Amino acid sequence: GLVRLKRAHTPTGASKAAMHRHVGKPFDWLTWPARSEIRSCRRNGYGLKRVLRSDAVQIRSTIEFMFKVGLTGGIAAGKSAVTEILRGHGIAVIDHDQLARDAVAPGSPGLAQIVSRFGAQMLDETGALDRARLGQVVFADPLALSALNDIVHPAVYALAEAAERAALTNTVNNIVVHDIPLLIETGQGTDFDELVVVIAPTELRMARLIGGRGMSPAEAMRRIESQTSDQERRKYATVVLDGSGSLVDLADQVAQFLARLGVNTTSKG
């Protein structure tokens, strides 16, 4: 079942917890000392609401707030199933894998940088990125993977901010979930009001990659080992979901988590 690792920032639910975080760029209108103060308070579980009382913070006349959830997990652990369950409950989910694809779409600066770094052979016959070919290169070479991340991640961050604003206008509960495969690896482990980690045994993930995605055992292991460990993810998690069981069991764990945030999970939408 669901494992809760830390006390929630606001046990009274997301309706109040949503006041903890400003939508979009939360710090672009604050002095640098105030930004540091807010980050410190978030790490200690106080949230933004308490800090807004400080005279050091200059507040815009109208501001909107959201409750920001990070979702991560190793490849083939069950994270995609969790996102579908969340959407079924009316939760806005921002898919950072899709943002990464958008960041390197034909004609984008990101794709031009990839061609410059890795060569034109990374394009398919239509001029789009050949993700499989690029994957074979970067997942076998940590330096190449780091170079790719340096190209893609800044573009993804910018797209995520825009998606965050759009998502908030289309949700009734002010909860926005960021589905980020490399959340810990990219240093975002403390950037969220809640951090949900989906875990599953390595052997099961290997079987899913081989049987479901057609990877060879060697390729499956390379993909798993290119990511951080579940042990490292747990250090940042506020909630751990077990993705090794049935979809029914996983849905029950997600419902427990949402209920703690004040979301009615007895009916969809």
Side-chain angles (χ1 to χ4, degrees), residues 29-221:
W29 43 277
L30 305 178
T31 62
W32 280 109
R35 299 180 193 190
S36 300
E37 182 183 2
I38 286 177
R39 289 192 178 102
S40 175
C41 285
R42 280 188 180 146
R43 283 195 296 271
N44 291 314
Y46 296 122
L48 183 57
K49 185 177 181 181
R50 175 168 174 169
V51 186
L52 290 179
R53 300 191 182 106
S54 168
D55 291 338
V57 180
Q58 301 300 315
I59 308 171
R60 287 174 176 165
S61 57
T62 14
I63 48 180
E64 293 177 312
F65 292 88
M66 66 178 168
F67 192 75
K68 192 169 179 178
V69 177
L71 172 64
T72 193
I75 186 171
K79 182 172 58 61
S80 296
V82 171
T83 64
E84 292 307 307
I85 295 166
L86 288 168
R87 290 187 174 111
H89 288 297
I91 304 298
V93 179
I94 298 174
D95 181 350
H96 282 239
D97 261 349
Q98 181 59 53
L99 296 184
R101 287 189 285 271
D102 294 342
V104 295
S108 67
L111 184 59
Q113 292 178 62
I114 288 175
V115 170
S116 176
R117 170 62 177 80
F118 296 99
Q121 66 270 23
M122 294 302 156
L123 301 179
D124 63 19
E125 61 277 5
T126 69
L129 180 64
D130 188 330
R131 296 173 65 86
R133 181 174 297 175
L134 180 62
Q136 290 174 353
V137 172
V138 300
F139 288 114
D141 181 351
L143 291 179
L145 180 59
S146 178
L148 176 64
N149 288 339
D150 287 343
I151 293 170
V152 175
H153 289 162
V156 170
Y157 294 150
L159 292 172
E161 288 183 353
E164 206 169 64
R165 295 187 182 95
L168 195 60
T169 65
N170 295 314
T171 181
V172 297
N173 47 42
N174 280 21
I175 299 173
V176 176
V177 175
H178 286 260
D179 173 5
I180 310 176
L182 301 180
L183 188 152
I184 304 303
E185 293 88 332
T186 52
Q188 301 177 73
T190 59
D191 289 354
F192 300 90
D193 297 301
E194 291 273 4
L195 180 53
V196 179
V197 170
V198 186
I199 64 170
T202 299
E203 297 77 11
L204 177 59
R205 294 165 59 196
M206 285 278 293
R208 288 172 175 172
L209 291 173
I210 295 168
R213 306 193 194 183
M215 293 185 186
S216 69
E219 175 67 10
M221 183 55 71

